[in-house]
Amino acid sequence: MMRGRSSDGSQKKRLITICLVVICFGFLYVYRGSIFGSDTGASALQYGSKSLRKLGLGGDDDVDSKQEDSSTKFALEEVDDGLAPKSFPVCDDRHSEIIPCLDRHLIYQLRLKLDLSLMEHYERHCPPPERRYNCLIPPPPGYKVPIKWPISRDEVWKANIPHTHLAHEKSDQNWMVVKGEKIVFPGGGTHFHYGADKYIASIANMLNFSNDNLNDQGRLRTVLDVGCGVASFGGYLLASDIITMSLAPNDVHQNQIQFALERGIPAYLGVLGTKRLPYPSRSFEFSHCSRCRIDWLQRDGILLLELDRVLRPGGYFAYSSPEAYAQDEEDLRIWKEMSTLVERMCWRIAAKRNQTVVWQKPMNNDCYMQRESGTQPPLCRSDDDPDAETWRRRVESYWNLLSTKIQSNTVRNIMDMKANLGSFGAALHGKDVWVMNVVPEDGPNTLKVVYDRGLIGTTHNWCEAFSTYPRTYDLLHAWTVFSDVTRKGCSIEDLLLEVDRILRPSGFVIIRDKQPVVESVKKYLSAMHWEAVATADSTSDSEIDSDEIVLIIQKKLWLTSGSLRETE
């Protein structure tokens, strides 16, 4: 009996010991990552407010919970000042084209009360912090390195934007044609079936510009194309040294801006709705609307007033639409009301032919001063760049650092994430690229200077997602952007994931920032599937401040297992 009780006691002690060991290993597993140091990361530490958070993704609730489980599992590695992820989860394939602040599923789920007639549902509505996508956006199955400019103006890989509905819907208008593995762009549009080049020349001819060139001997440099389709109008203007901001919403033609950017044509997701366009007053010399389906008369013509705001004195508005020529009762009514409104705005008809009218904004204030008292709409109350040479040298230094990685056609779509006066973009003049100059919303309002220099850009807060599709830019320039985000108390991980979303595979990020910030970013390279390709500091480059470092990163081309099977 004594021997039996002693045996039972030993077994209990062994069981207790085993339980304690299991519990200890469990704690190690949760707080230190995999006890075997696995790179696959089967476990994770849930971060706090400034770290990777657990979120619910858009879509059906049952699907969201599964995606949520997978998107919050990270492999962690210990570093000197805490934990950094060794890997990020990959978003579900259905999110491969997600635009976080233009997500219609989010609008439905949040039950936002929006006025559809005013296009509010096409405006930006960003997810709250707990619903942000903290995962890497996968490319679609079969994704290929984009075709290089200028060939890309006329053809792209179908696998990169696997949407062919516009080719069928607009087959009679020559928007795009599917040919084998490629989508080809003949240059047509809703109003110019026979090619944007002929249509552009006809407008220049209407205005008596020399050689039927809309450039007008260098006087016309910036254009706003509203409701741009796949941006063939802006694409064909590039040959005349005219840069166009092609603008369209994420509407029933939802991939039109994605096609434009894949082609290497400047474009931006936006809409004339209830908010001002993100461009300063007097930005464009020419604006264009071809069958853009905009109700210009709504709310006492406020949308035409917004167009007037962004047009420079002497600027033009080319309008091709049935209202300009049709003789039915409704079109005649609209034409009469539009004509009366623009006359009160002091616009004059510069030319009118067939289905197109071109109005011109006055060059001075004489007409405004002669208007009768009480005339509606009322009047609103009423560039030298000192660092141009500095940025010319900096860009030259960047290109030297990238010399082993790029050729003349490697980079096309560039974004300067903190443009200031636009000197980075101006220094790239002469290279076959275009630059989206982004000015901080809460910083000095320098966007007007950017446009005065013949460049284009917009304002943005990098604590939120940018209005573009995934995989649309070849190079991002981030000058103290990560420092700014950190100072605002926003998540550096969120910004890294947003940069990765925007950047094309094999694309580059140039980070110019304080040394501690750059060192912090380096900890995430493996997790992001990024590779450091060059670094520089003040000891190797006199243009770099003593407390700054330049880090150039390249995004690797990676595919999910499903994409690999599709490619094979």
Side-chain angles (χ1 to χ4, degrees), residues 179-194:
K179 290 188 177 180
E181 294 185 341
K182 294 179 179 178
I183 294 176
V184 176
F185 300 87
T190 302
H191 189 75
F192 41 92
H193 304 177
Y194 300 107

Side-chain angles (χ1 to χ4, degrees), residues 7-23:
S7 176
D8 290 343
S10 298
Q11 289 180 357
K12 289 180 180 179
K13 288 180 181 179
R14 282 196 296 270
L15 286 172
I16 292 171
T17 302
I18 291 171
C19 289
L20 289 172
V21 170
V22 170
I23 291 171

